[in-house]
Amino acid sequence: MCLATPAQILEISDEKRMTGIVEICGSRQSVDLSCVISGCPLSRLIGSWVMVEVGHATRQMEKGEAEATVDVLEALDEAMADIAEMDHDEAVLEPA
């Protein structure tokens, strides 16, 4: 399963290939921006927020929507960690 995540565009790395550097949860990666250019110069995308899925920016989004999405993803990550810990605790308590 693929999960799209919000990212902020930091710079344009290759105008010809329509790629840029984005930041996702503190890490930087190169992504294809061709789906979000909408006829404007790529430089106008710097600082904007996009959803990134499998190395491609799929759509632009507002900063508030990006922040809310990150909050939900972080809460989901915490819940999954809690479930994994409960599963581990139950496995330890079960007799062999």
Side-chain angles (χ1 to χ4, degrees), residues 7-8 10 21-29:
Q8 187 174 30
L10 303 176
I21 303 299
V22 300
E23 184 171 347
I24 300 175
C25 299
S27 70
R28 294 176 179 212
Q29 70 180 61

Side-chain angles (χ1 to χ4, degrees), residues 12-94:
I12 304 305
S13 54
D14 189 328
E15 289 219 16
K16 186 176 180 180
R17 292 187 174 147
M18 295 185 229
T19 59
I21 303 299
V22 300
E23 184 171 347
I24 300 175
C25 299
S27 70
R28 294 176 179 212
Q29 70 180 61
S30 179
V31 298
D32 181 317
L33 301 171
S34 62
C35 292
V36 297
I37 56 171
S38 65
C40 70
L42 285 175
S43 61
R44 295 182 89 195
L45 293 173
I46 295 172
S48 64
W49 289 85
V50 291
M51 287 297 274
V52 174
E53 184 174 357
V54 194
H56 298 274
T58 57
R59 70 176 181 91
Q60 285 186 282
M61 62 193 314
E62 296 295 322
K63 181 180 179 180
E65 180 187 5
E67 290 171 343
T69 303
V70 168
D71 290 345
V72 168
L73 291 173
E74 287 174 349
L76 178 61
D77 186 49
E78 288 176 24
M80 291 175 69
D82 289 346
I83 290 169
E85 186 177 324
M86 286 187 294
D87 287 346
H88 176 265
D89 291 346
E90 287 177 10
V92 170
L93 294 176
E94 289 179 10

